[in-house]
Amino acid sequence: MAKRDQGGQGCGEALPLGELERRLIDAFQRDLPLVPHPFAAVAESLDSSEEAVIGALSSLMDEGVVSRVGPVFAPHKAGASTLAAMAVPPERLDEVAELVNGYPEVNHNYEREHRFTLWFVVTAPSRERIDAILADIERRTGIGVLDLPLVAAYHIDLGFPVQWS
Amino acid sequence: MVLNDTDRDLIAAVQDGLPMVARPFAAIGDRVGLDEAEVIRRLDAMLRAGVIKRFGVVVRHHELGYRANAMVVWDIPDDRVEAVAGEIARCPCVTLCYQRPRRLPEWPYNLFCMVHGRDRGLVEAQVEQMAARLGLQDVPRAVLFSRRRFKQRGARYASAAE
């Protein structure tokens, strides 16, 4: 998959996206119309066509800019989740990250600059299932897992304004 | 809102995103034995109830040019955490702000926020400004920049195996 990731270190240049792609991202991070022909409805508001919208979204997904068009679930309401952290020694990071990725309940999984090097989110239908997964990871790696479930959310929207300049 | 088995099947079918076809809700319905109108009605109900917080284009910020993302964690006194969190959440560079438990002695921080920026220096400057404006210069904090992303996709609340 072609990733738009060839830039220099921290150059942070804007991406060479087309006009339709930008407008789709600006206008439809929320409130995709829930109607039988949603992409036709989007196209109408952007003065485009259903085929062009579907094509633009498909290529944004192929390029990895858009991960999907669909729902973002609120934490807790549709199941249980937690943020987990592990102090994995650098030489074991690849191995442990791969082991953690093997659980379908793990969605985000990042290396971060800290003594706790590996940070991942576990989401499952029940808290019991999360407990079982964390215990399993501890058993298989021999490394303790910090379990940091949500206490309160103050800002829970990942759809953020994009500054294209 | 109480979710029934049909809702959970629908969540499982839609959580990885809509198929890129002209009538995606009909296609989702085919997978779970619902007609198009019923799929739309149930998704709309989940949106209204807040089970789904938004429905739309989900971007990967890294690929969009937001190359630096830091998890900034603070040790805020318990009696101030709600007020401080409300202020932090209003900062435009902050996309998420969560209170989580401390795990002493190894983890002393109870407030987490995600700060996104085009580069590392900008993120650091934004955190400094935020701390100064909110009077948090003396509050213990750590800035955890992300290095490698091993996995990023939507949360899965339902799985066919469960």
Side-chain angles (χ1 to χ4, degrees):
Chain A
M1 193 192 307
K3 296 268 188 193
R4 295 175 189 264
D5 202 5
Q6 303 90 347
Q9 284 201 329
C11 67
E13 280 172 26
L15 292 161
L17 295 184
E19 178 68 17
L20 178 58
E21 281 85 352
R22 289 183 182 208
R23 292 169 72 198
L24 282 168
I25 289 171
D26 281 338
F28 292 101
Q29 289 189 57
R30 52 172 61 251
D31 298 334
L32 183 87
L34 297 183
V35 297
H37 283 269
F39 304 120
V42 165
E44 194 173 344
S45 75
L46 296 181
D47 206 17
S48 183
S49 70
E50 184 178 45
E51 294 74 20
V53 165
I54 290 174
L57 289 171
S58 299
S59 67
L60 284 169
M61 282 192 277
D62 286 345
E63 291 160 345
V65 174
V66 164
S67 66
R68 66 187 188 282
V69 179
V72 174
F73 292 100
H76 277 341
K77 292 195 175 173
S81 69
T82 196
L83 176 67
M86 298 172 77
V88 181
E91 68 275 12
R92 289 192 61 195
L93 200 53
D94 285 331
E95 161 221 335
V96 174
E98 196 180 329
L99 182 148
V100 166
N101 273 358
Y103 294 84
E105 293 86 352
V106 169
N107 35 75
H108 296 74
N109 185 12
Y110 279 87
E111 177 188 4
R112 294 194 177 277
E113 294 177 17
H114 193 270
R115 188 174 76 80
F116 285 96
T117 44
L118 194 66
W119 291 80
F120 53 95
V121 175
V122 186
T123 306
S126 69
R127 180 63 225 190
E128 290 70 30
R129 177 72 189 131
I130 288 176
D131 288 340
I133 290 165
L134 298 186
D136 200 45
I137 290 172
E138 287 189 334
R139 183 185 58 76
R140 292 173 64 197
T141 62
I143 299 171
V145 177
L146 274 190
D147 173 20
L148 303 168
L150 195 64
V151 174
Y154 295 91
H155 195 286
I156 53 163
D157 192 354
L158 272 166
F160 55 96
V162 175
Q163 287 146 22
W164 294 111
S165 60
Chain B
M1 179 184 191
V2 178
L3 299 176
N4 60 27
D5 286 348
T6 306
D7 293 316
R8 290 184 186 284
D9 289 347
L10 179 57
I11 287 171
V14 82
Q15 65 189 351
D16 289 331
L18 298 177
M20 288 297 112
V21 297
R23 299 181 69 172
F25 300 112
I28 293 287
D30 285 344
R31 296 186 205 162
V32 291
L34 296 173
D35 68 30
E36 183 180 49
E38 184 68 7
V39 168
I40 290 173
R41 191 191 66 74
R42 285 176 186 265
L43 290 175
D44 190 53
M46 284 187 239
L47 259 174
R48 282 171 204 261
V51 173
I52 294 172
K53 66 184 177 188
R54 64 185 176 92
F55 198 107
V57 177
V58 181
V59 302
R60 295 178 188 259
H61 42 79
H62 183 86
E63 276 75 0
L64 258 180
Y66 286 69
R67 297 257 154 75
N69 105 57
M71 186 172 72
V72 183
V73 294
W74 317 73
D75 177 13
I76 309 284
D78 287 338
D79 59 348
R80 291 180 60 202
V81 68
E82 195 172 332
V84 169
E87 292 292 324
I88 287 178
R90 270 192 279 282
C91 297
C93 62
V94 169
T95 52
L96 297 163
C97 184
Y98 292 151
Q99 185 186 348
R100 298 183 184 278
R102 296 182 187 86
R103 300 296 188 200
L104 298 173
E106 48 191 357
W107 188 257
Y109 306 106
N110 63 336
L111 192 65
F112 294 58
C113 64
M114 292 300 310
V115 178
H116 298 273
R118 292 203 175 276
D119 62 53
R120 188 180 178 109
L122 195 59
V123 168
E124 282 169 346
Q126 283 168 328
V127 174
E128 284 293 339
Q129 281 169 20
M130 202 189 324
R133 192 166 58 78
L134 301 179
L136 301 174
Q137 298 98 321
D138 300 327
V139 166
R141 69 168 191 256
V143 179
L144 285 72
F145 279 98
S146 63
R147 270 198 194 123
R148 281 182 289 169
R149 183 184 66 205
F150 298 111
K151 200 183 213 183
Q152 180 190 16
R153 65 139 196 262
R156 304 179 74 90
Y157 286 96
S159 63
E162 294 281 332

